[in-house]
Amino acid sequence: MAVKNIAVFEKEFDVSYEIVNANAKQDIVFLHGWGSNKQIMKNAFEHCLEDFRHIYIDMPGFGKTSNSYILHTNDYALIVEKLLYAIKSEPVAIVGHSYGGKVATLLKPKNLVLLSSAGIVEKKSLDVKLKIFLAKIFNRLGFLKLTKIFRSKDVDSMSENMYETFKNVVNEDFSKQFSNFPNNALIFWGEEDKATSLESGKKLSQLIKKSKFKSYKADHFFFCIHAEDIAKEIKNGIL
């Protein structure tokens, strides 16, 4: 594991990253999803794609990279871009899971690999809409502590700055960014995914012109059990 200090708009981040197959000539970067870290990506892929140098990154606020700022997805993309520049990496592909898929898309790699990517806005249930409505009312009335009861279990343990970051990024519609992506894309999905639906995956694949889509009988973390097949598809699909 290594740490590199990255400065972006007067904000400093000590970004934790890890390299596997250090002597390989071509780089593949792996970006985890929201609430996750580089270790889950490494556990899945470190024994695959042996002809490539793997770069696993903890994005700010996750794993071993701390964050004390309120950020947007563009900030995350710029931080990763600066890190790659600092370590002299020009990746042939970037793999992004869930939220990491949005960050990867903004980086416009030669080959984009999306694993159940976020970025397609899905309809909210009536229960979720009601919670959001009530939380906004309490927030306007100044009852900030009461708004916490409407937060999902996923954000209970977040610091306030990460919760504000989460609010900035959770409902972003990346349809335009996907449509404008100019390069090759490989899109993989879990057919039983409850976080980002299979329908969203199919829509995303239609938005990216140069894309190939494949799904697996598994959930949001399908890549943990299908890494070898995904790796074969990546090797075959990299231009």
Side-chain angles (χ1 to χ4, degrees):
M1 188 192 78
V3 175
K4 181 70 71 172
N5 182 263
I6 302 297
V8 175
F9 299 132
E10 299 182 352
K11 301 179 178 72
E12 289 194 11
F13 305 88
D14 290 322
V15 181
S16 174
Y17 66 98
E18 190 166 349
I19 292 177
V20 172
N21 301 333
N23 295 322
K25 302 301 183 184
Q26 291 183 304
D27 290 354
I28 293 183
V29 173
F30 295 84
L31 300 178
H32 59 79
W34 188 271
S36 188
N37 56 63
K38 66 179 181 295
Q39 192 61 44
I40 193 169
M41 305 297 284
K42 183 180 176 223
N43 289 347
F45 292 104
E46 66 176 324
H47 300 301
C48 308
L49 298 164
E50 61 280 355
D51 296 331
F52 298 87
R53 186 172 75 148
H54 302 194
I55 302 174
Y56 298 94
I57 301 171
D58 276 337
M59 292 190 288
F62 306 103
K64 296 183 179 179
T65 301
S66 61
N67 172 50
S68 56
Y69 307 102
I70 297 172
L71 302 174
H72 294 79
T73 302
N74 285 331
D75 297 320
Y76 278 102
L78 186 55
I79 291 162
V80 172
E81 182 179 45
K82 287 205 167 190
L83 171 67
L84 296 178
Y85 179 81
I87 63 176
K88 297 179 172 59
S89 173
E90 295 182 6
V92 67
I94 300 181
V95 181
H97 173 234
S98 198
Y99 179 66
K102 294 199 298 184
V103 178
T105 300
L106 290 180
L107 292 168
K108 295 184 178 177
K110 296 175 183 176
N111 295 280
L112 175 66
V113 182
L114 299 178
L115 309 175
S116 280
S117 178
I120 300 298
V121 178
E122 301 190 15
K123 291 182 179 180
K124 296 180 176 64
S125 67
L126 289 176
D127 181 55
V128 171
K129 288 180 179 178
L130 179 61
K131 286 181 179 179
I132 293 172
F133 175 71
L134 292 174
K136 286 181 177 179
I137 290 177
F138 283 129
N139 191 47
R140 288 173 184 171
L141 293 174
F143 302 134
L144 299 181
K145 290 183 179 180
L146 284 177
T147 63
K148 292 184 178 182
I149 67 175
F150 298 107
R151 296 183 185 180
S152 70
K153 292 180 180 179
D154 293 337
V155 301
D156 276 347
S157 60
M158 288 183 196
S159 63
E160 280 304 310
N161 66 292
M162 286 305 294
Y163 178 60
E164 291 302 319
T165 298
F166 176 73
K167 290 198 296 183
N168 284 340
V169 306
V170 66
N171 288 319
E172 290 174 311
D173 184 355
F174 256 50
S175 295
K176 184 176 180 180
Q177 288 86 342
F178 293 137
S179 294
N180 291 337
F181 184 76
N183 302 324
N184 183 50
L186 301 173
I187 303 168
F188 303 99
W189 224 269
E191 294 173 7
E192 299 158 16
D193 196 327
K194 296 293 191 289
T196 51
S197 71
L198 182 61
E199 289 71 25
S200 289
K202 292 177 179 178
K203 180 178 179 180
L204 198 161
S205 69
Q206 293 172 351
L207 291 171
I208 298 181
K209 299 173 184 65
K210 300 177 185 178
S211 67
K212 178 182 177 181
F213 181 84
K214 186 173 183 178
S215 64
Y216 299 86
K217 290 188 179 299
D219 62 14
H220 193 56
F221 292 92
F222 68 95
F223 61 91
C224 293
I225 55 177
H226 294 287
E228 288 189 9
D229 188 73
I230 293 168
K232 288 178 184 177
E233 294 285 349
I234 292 173
K235 288 176 72 173
N236 292 334
I238 284 180
L239 301 178

